C-alpha cells in the first residue's frame, strides 16, 4: 500500500517537473520582494507561504472560469530560488492539460488585488513577469483647481482696480458737496475775505440784478 | 584730468541749487516717496530679481564655487557701486526720469533715454511671460498630489504616454502640458489658452500695482520686496533638514582657484553684476528723482550693493540645499534600481546587496559573470553629474525645483511658497521696468498731457499684453530665450557705457562732484573719482568688446524640445532660420543704435531749421 502511494507521488512529482519548465510553454515567472515591501515586519518564505500562493492562484482561476473547480494541486511551481522567485504552470482540474497563458493572465489580472492582499504586497513587490498591472488613472477633478485660483486672483484684482479708479471720483463729489455746504454756512456768518483760490467769490445779487430797477 | 567736452547751455536746462532748495520746500506735483524705507525697498526689489535665484547660483557653481565670490565681489565694488552712485546722483540732482535727465544734460543725448526705454520695454515683455508661467505653476500648486507628479496614461492603460515615459513627469508637464512646445521657432502653432489667461493675470496685476505710479507700487513693495526673504528663510530651514542638502552646499562652495585664471569667469562675473543691478534700464534714475534733494545717495548705493551681494549668496545657498537633496534622492533611486536588477538577474536573496556593499558586490559579480552583468544594462550613478544637471534659468525653477518639491512631505505648501517667492521677485523687478517705460513715454509727450497716470499705465499694460501674445504661442519658449539672449545683453552694456561717458565727460565729473557735495555735504572720495573716470568705463568696455566678439563667433543655434529627436529627452541643438537675423537686429541693434541715430537726426533737424530761419527773417523785412 505504502509503495503504491509512494509510486503515485513520485509519478505526479515527475509529471509536474515535466510540465513546469522555466521559460517554456505556458509557464509564468513570479517574483516576491517581501523585505522591500515590509522591512522589519517581513515574514520568512517557507512551504506554508507557497501553499498560500497556490491556493490564491487556484481561487483566481476558479473566479475567472466561473465554476471550474481548480484546486491547490493544479498549480505546479518549480525552480524556486533564494530571491524568492519561481516558475509555475496551471493544469485543468483532474487532468494534466495545461491551461494556456492567455487564460492564466486574464485570471491573474482579474484577481490581482486579492492575490496582492493575501501576501500584504503590491503590484510592484509581487511581480508576474509579462503581466503588466493596469494602472490607476490620475485623479482629475471636474473643475481644474487652477481655474478657481485664477478666478479668485482676477476677481480680487478687478475689484481693486475699480475701487482705485472710483474712489477719487467719489471723493471729489463728496468734497464738492462739502464745499457747497461750507458756502451756505459762510454766507450767514460775517465778512468775506478774498482768499486766493479758495472760493470764486460770492455772487452778490444786489449789484447785478439791474432788471428789477430799470424795468419801470 | 579736466577733460570735459563742450556743452553750451547746460545751466539753462538744469535747475540750479537755489531752484532745488525752492522745489524742496514747495509741494510740487512730482510724486514723492512716503518714506525712505519705501525707496530702499523699491530699489532692493528692483535689483534683487529672479536672476539672483536662477542665474547666480549656476554661475557660482560652474566657475569654481567659492572662488567665484572673489571676482564677483571685486567687480561688485569696482563696477556696480560707481554706476549705482552715478544713476542715483544724476536722478536726484536733475529730478527727471531717464529721458528728461539725458535731454537736460545735452539734447543730442536724448537717444540714451530712448534706448533705455526700448530696452526696458523689450525686457519687460519677456520677463512678464516668465511671470505668467510662474503664475500658472502657482495656480496649479493648490492641489494634492501636484499635477506634475504623475504622467497621464496611454490609451490601453498599461503604461504612460511615451513622451512622458522617456523624459520625466516634470519635463512633460513643463514642455507639453504648460507650453505645448512645438519643435522649432518657425512652427508657431496656435495660442496656448492657459498661457494667454496667465499673461492676462500677470499684466493685470502689474497694472493694479503701478496704477498710480509709485504711490501704489510703493505700497506693494512692502510685500513683494520682503516676502522673498521670509520664504528663503523658510526654505533654508527646510533645506538644511533634508537628506543630502550638505552635498549640494559643498558642491556649490568648494573653491577651485584655477578657475580664476579663466577670463570667462571674470566676464561672467562682470556681466552678472551689471544685469543684477538693473543698470541702464532707466528705472533707478526715475526712482532717485522722487527723493528729497539732500538724500544721502552715496550711502544708498553702498547699502544696495551690500544687500544685493548678500542676497545672491543667501539665495545660492538655499537653492543648492534643494539641489543637493534632489541629486541625493536621484542617486539613491539609481543605486536601488541597479541593486534590484542585480538581485533579479542573479536570483540572489533580497538583503544580500545593500547600498553600502553595492560597489563590492558589483565588482565581484562583474568579475565572475561579466556577460550577465553587461546584459542587465546597469547604469552608472554619478552624483557629480546629478548635481550639475539643468540648474540654470527656467530649467532650475520649473524642472529641478518642482521635482525636488514633489519629494518633500507636504509638497503643495512648498510649491505654493516657492512660486509666490518667484512671483514677488519678478513683480518687484517689473515695477522698476514699467517705471522705465511709462515715465519716458510721458517725457517724450507721446501721451496726451491731460491723461491721468491711471490711463498711461492702463494703455501701456494693454499694448504690452497684446505684444506678449507672441510668447503665448507654441513656439513661445524659443522666443523668450531669443529675447533673453539678445534684448538684454549688448544694448544694456552700450547704454551703460554711454551713460558713464556722458556724465563724466559731457556733464563733467567736477560738476557731478559739486552736486554730490551740495546734496550730501561732502565730495566723493578718491575711490569714486578713479572708478568713475577710469575703472568702471574700462571694465564695461572690456565686457562689451568680449561679448560682441563671442557673439559674432558663435553659431546661432538654440535648443528645442523635440520628441522625435534621437537623443530625446536631451534638448536638440538646432540652427536658427535665416530671418532670425532681422529679429536679432531689431532686438539688439535698434536700442543700441537709437543713441547715434537720434543725435544725427537732431543734428540734421537743427541744421534745416537754421537754414529756414534766415530765409524767414529775410521775408519778414
Amino acid at each position: 500500500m505504502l509503495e503504491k502511494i509512494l509510486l503515485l507521488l513520485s509519478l505526479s512529482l515527475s509529471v509536474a517537473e515535466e510540465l513546469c519548465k522555466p521559460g517554456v510553454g505556458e509557464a509564468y515567472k513570479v517574483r516576491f520582494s517581501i523585505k522591500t515591501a515590509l522591512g522589519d515586519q517581513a515574514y520568512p518564505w517557507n512551504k506554508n507561504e507557497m501553499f498560500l500562493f497556490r491556493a490564491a492562484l487556484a481561487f483566481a482561476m476558479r473566479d475567472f472560469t466561473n465554476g471550474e473547480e481548480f484546486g491547490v494541486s493544479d498549480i505546479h511551481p518549480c525552480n524556486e530560488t533564494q530571491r524568492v522567485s519561481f516558475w509555475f504552470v496551471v493544469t485543468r482540474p483532474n487532468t494534466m492539460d495545461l491551461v494556456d497563458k492567455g487564460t492564466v493572465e486574464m485570471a491573474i489580472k482579474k484577481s490581482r488585488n486579492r492575490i496582492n492582499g493575501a501576501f500584504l504586497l503590491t503590484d510592484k513587490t509581487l511581480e508576474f513577469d509579462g503581466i503588466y498591472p493596469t494602472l490607476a488613472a490620475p485623479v482629475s477633478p471636474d473643475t481644474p483647481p487652477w481655474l478657481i485660483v485664477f478666478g479668485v486672483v482676477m476677481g480680487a484684482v478687478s475689484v481693486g482696480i475699480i475701487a482705485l479708479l472710483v474712489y477719487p471720483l467719489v471723493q471729489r463729489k463728496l468734497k464738492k458737496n462739502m464745499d457747497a455746504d461750507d458756502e451756505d454756512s459762510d454766507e450767514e456768518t460775517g465778512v468775506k475775505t478774498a482768499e486766493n483760490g479758495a472760493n470764486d467769490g460770492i455772487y452778490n445779487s444786489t449789484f447785478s440784478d439791474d432788471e428789477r430797477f430799470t424795468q419801470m | 584730468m579736466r577733460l570735459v567736452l563742450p556743452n553750451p547751455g547746460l545751466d539753462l536746462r538744469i535747475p540750479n541749487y537755489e531752484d532745488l532748495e525752492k522745489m524742496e520746500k514747495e509741494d510740487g506735483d512730482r510724486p514723492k516717496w512716503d518714506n525712505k524705507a519705501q525707496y530702499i525697498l523699491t530699489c532692493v526689489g528692483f535689483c534683487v530679481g529672479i536672476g539672483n535665484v536662477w542665474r547666480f547660483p549656476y554661475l557660482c557653481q560652474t566657475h569654481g564655487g567659492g572662488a567665484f565670490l572673489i571676482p564677483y565681489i571685486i567687480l561688485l565694488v569696482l563696477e556696480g557701486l560707481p554706476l549705482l552712485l552715478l544713476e542715483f546722483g544724476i536722478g536726484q540732482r536733475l529730478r527727471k526720469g531717464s529721458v528728461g535727465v539725458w535731454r537736460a544734460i545735452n539734447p543730442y543725448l536724448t537717444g540714451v533715454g530712448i534706448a533705455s526705454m526700448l530696452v526696458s520695454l523689450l525686457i519687460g515683455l519677456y520677463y512678464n511671460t516668465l511671470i505668467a508661467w510662474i503664475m500658472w505653476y502657482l495656480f496649479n500648486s493648490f492641489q494634492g498630489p501636484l499635477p506634475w507628479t504623475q504622467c497621464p496614461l496611454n490609451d490601453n492603460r498599461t503604461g504612460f504616454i511615451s513622451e512622458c515615459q522617456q523624459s520625466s513627469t516634470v519635463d512633460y508637464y513643463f514642455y507639453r502640458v504648460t507650453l505645448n512646445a512645438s519643435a522649432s521657432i518657425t512652427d508657431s502653432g496656435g495660442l496656448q489658452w492657459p498661457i494667454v489667461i496667465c499673461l492676462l493675470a500677470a499684466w493685470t496685476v502689474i497694472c493694479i500695482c503701478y496704477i498710480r505710479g509709485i504711490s501704489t507700487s510703493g505700497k506693494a513693495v512692502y510685500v513683494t520686496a520682503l516676502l522673498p526673504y521670509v520664504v528663503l528663510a523658510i526654505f533654508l530651514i527646510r533645506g538644511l533638514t533634508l537628506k543630502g542638502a550638505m552635498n549640494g552646499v559643498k558642491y556649490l562652495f568648494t573653491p577651485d582657484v584655477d578657475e580664476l585664471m579663466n577670463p570667462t569667469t571674470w566676464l561672467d562675473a562682470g556681466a552678472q553684476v551689471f544685469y543684477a543691478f538693473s543698470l541702464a534700464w532707466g528705472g533707478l534714475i526715475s526712482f532717485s528723482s522722487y527723493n528729497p534733494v539732500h538724500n544721502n545717495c552715496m550711502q544708498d548705493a553702498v547699502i544696495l550693493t551690500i544687500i544685493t551681494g548678500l542676497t545672491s549668496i543667501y539665495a545660492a545657498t538655499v537653492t543648492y540645499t534643494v539641489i543637493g537633496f534632489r541629486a541625493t534622492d536621484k542617486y539613491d533611486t539609481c543605486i536601488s534600481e541597479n541593486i534590484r536588477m542585480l538581485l533579479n538577474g542573479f536570483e540572489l536573496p533580497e538583503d544580500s546587496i545593500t547600498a553600502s556593499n553595492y560597489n563590492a558586490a558589483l565588482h565581484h559579480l562583474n568579475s565572475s559573470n561579466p556577460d550577465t552583468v553587461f546584459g542587465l544594462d546597469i547604469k552608472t550613478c554619478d552624483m557629480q553629474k546629478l548635481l550639475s544637471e539643468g540648474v540654470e534659468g527656467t530649467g532650475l525653477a520649473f524642472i529641478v525645483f518642482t521635482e525636488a518639491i514633489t519629494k518633500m512631505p507636504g509638497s503643495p505648501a512648498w510649491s505654493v511658497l516657492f512660486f509666490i517667492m518667484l512671483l514677488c521677485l519678478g513683480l518687484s523687478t517689473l515695477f522698476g521696468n514699467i517705471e522705465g517705460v511709462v515715465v519716458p513715454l510721458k517725457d517724450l509727450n507721446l501721451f496726451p498731457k491731460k491723461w491721468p497716470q491711471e490711463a498711461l499705465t492702463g494703455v501701456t499694460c494693454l499694448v504690452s499684453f497684446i505684444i506678449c501674445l507672441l510668447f503665448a504661442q507654441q513656439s513661445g519658449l524659443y522666443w523668450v530665450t531669443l529675447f533673453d539672449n539678445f534684448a538684454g545683453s549688448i544694448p544694456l552694456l552700450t547704454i551703460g557705457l554711454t551713460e558713464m561717458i556722458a556724465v563724466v565727460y559731457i556733464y563733467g565729473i567736477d560738476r557731478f562732484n559739486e552736486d554730490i557735495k551740495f546734496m550730501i555735504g561732502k565730495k566723493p572720495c578718491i575711490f569714486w573719482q578713479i572708478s568713475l573716470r577710469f575703472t568702471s568705463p574700462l571694465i564695461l568696455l572690456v565686457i562689451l568688446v568680449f561679448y560682441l566678439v563671442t557673439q559674432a563667433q558663435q553659431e546661432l543655434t538654440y535648443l528645442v524640445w523635440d520628441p522625435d529627436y534621437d537623443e530625446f529627452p536631451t534638448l536638440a541643438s538646432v540652427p536658427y532660420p535665416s530671418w532670425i537675423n532681422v529679429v536679432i537686429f531689431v532686438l539688439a541693434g535698434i536700442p543700441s543704435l537709437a543713441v547715434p541715430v537720434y543725435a544725427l537726426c537732431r543734428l540734421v533737424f537743427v541744421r534745416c531749421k537754421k537754414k529756414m530761419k534766415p530765409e524767414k527773417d529775410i521775408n519778414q523785412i
Side-chain angles (χ1 to χ4, degrees), chain A residues 43-57:
Chain A
Y43 46 80
W45 183 260
N46 53 30
K47 290 208 190 93
N48 303 334
E49 306 291 340
M50 178 60 89
F51 183 83
L52 179 59
F53 177 76
R54 292 163 76 192
L57 219 57

Side-chain angles (χ1 to χ4, degrees), chain B residues 127-445:
Chain B
Y127 210 83
N128 218 4
T129 313
L130 296 174
I131 303 278
W133 295 348
I134 290 171
M135 276 190 163
W136 164 256
Y137 270 81
L138 177 63
F139 293 158
N140 273 292
S141 303
F142 287 94
Q143 51 183 300
L146 295 167
W148 51 84
T149 46
Q150 301 157 315
C151 274
L153 295 176
N154 63 12
D155 293 327
N156 51 3
R157 297 183 64 188
T158 51
F160 301 115
I161 292 184
S162 70
E163 190 179 350
C164 194
Q165 185 82 355
Q166 285 179 299
S167 55
S168 72
T169 55
V170 276
D171 280 319
Y172 182 79
Y173 190 78
F174 181 56
Y175 289 108
R176 186 56 54 212
V177 177
T178 307
L179 300 175
N180 202 2
S182 60
S184 86
I185 198 170
T186 39
D187 188 8
S188 55
L191 285 177
Q192 261 296 88
W193 287 106
I195 300 293
V196 172
I197 65 180
C198 287
L199 270 174
L200 182 68
W203 280 111
T204 322
V205 169
I206 286 290
C207 192
I208 189 180
C209 286
Y210 193 72
I211 200 159
R212 288 224 200 98
I214 62 166
S215 47
T216 38
S217 79
K219 313 267 188 312
V221 281
Y222 284 117
V223 173
T224 60
L226 292 175
L227 189 61
Y229 286 97
V230 173
V231 174
L232 278 174
I234 298 175
F235 261 97
L236 184 68
I237 299 174
R238 169 78 271 204
L240 288 174
T241 52
L242 289 170
K243 178 178 179 224
M246 292 319 287
N247 290 337
V249 176
K250 261 186 261 172
Y251 184 66
L252 172 71
F253 285 126
T254 317
D256 177 9
V257 193
D258 295 328
E259 277 287 335
L260 292 181
M261 302 299 155
N262 190 355
T264 12
T265 309
W266 292 85
L267 276 173
D268 279 339
Q272 174 63 14
V273 166
F274 188 75
Y275 301 137
F277 275 137
S278 310
L279 294 159
W281 289 31
L284 287 174
I285 299 180
S286 265
F287 287 145
S288 306
S289 67
Y290 305 133
N291 270 331
V293 172
H294 294 292
N295 175 54
N296 193 343
C297 49
M298 208 188 285
Q299 200 185 51
D300 293 342
V302 173
I303 291 176
L304 200 61
T305 310
I306 294 175
I307 292 181
T308 311
L310 289 176
T311 310
S312 299
I313 300 174
Y314 179 41
T317 315
V318 174
T319 310
Y320 266 82
T321 52
V322 178
I323 289 175
F325 161 68
R326 173 188 171 270
T328 310
D329 189 275
K330 280 197 132 173
Y331 179 76
D332 287 342
T333 316
C334 179
I335 297 274
S336 311
E337 189 58 28
N338 286 352
I339 292 176
R340 194 186 70 88
M341 281 202 279
L342 283 175
L343 288 177
N344 291 355
F346 287 95
E347 305 290 0
L348 301 164
E350 272 182 281
D351 276 348
S352 56
I353 307 181
T354 58
S356 40
N357 63 4
Y358 167 72
N359 282 323
L362 180 63
H363 185 75
H364 172 78
L365 288 170
N366 211 358
S367 46
S368 50
N369 302 56
D371 298 325
T372 336
V373 173
F374 186 71
L376 289 173
D377 195 20
I378 308 273
K379 295 193 199 70
T380 33
C381 304
D382 185 358
M383 181 69 125
Q384 298 297 312
K385 181 167 167 291
L386 286 169
L387 281 168
S388 66
E389 267 182 355
V391 290
E392 180 191 22
T394 49
L396 176 68
F398 299 120
I399 296 182
V400 170
F401 245 91
T402 43
E403 191 176 2
I405 285 175
T406 55
K407 302 195 202 306
M408 294 185 206
S411 12
W414 298 109
S415 184
V416 168
L417 270 180
F418 177 64
F419 287 111
I420 282 188
M421 175 186 82
L422 285 186
L423 185 68
C424 288
L425 285 170
L427 276 180
S428 50
T429 309
L430 271 174
F431 294 156
N433 200 297
I434 203 170
E435 171 87 15
V437 173
V438 170
V439 170
L441 284 175
K442 217 167 30 174
D443 284 345
L444 287 170
N445 298 325

Side-chain angles (χ1 to χ4, degrees), chain A residues 64-108:
Chain A
F64 180 67
T65 54
N66 226 342
E68 275 188 56
E69 296 206 350
F70 284 89
V72 172
S73 48
D74 296 314
I75 317 292
H76 309 274
C78 59
N79 276 60
E80 204 177 312
T81 66
Q82 275 201 307
R83 170 70 179 80
V84 191
S85 68
F86 52 88
W87 292 83
F88 68 92
V89 289
V90 183
T91 53
R92 295 222 169 270
N94 301 325
T95 63
M96 286 290 134
D97 301 329
L98 294 176
V99 179
D100 63 286
K101 259 188 141 171
T103 321
V104 176
E105 177 171 346
M106 289 198 281
I108 292 175

Side-chain angles (χ1 to χ4, degrees), chain B residues 98-110:
Chain B
S98 67
V99 163
V101 155
W102 304 114
R103 191 192 280 156
I105 292 182
N106 193 318
Y108 287 94
L109 283 177
T110 319

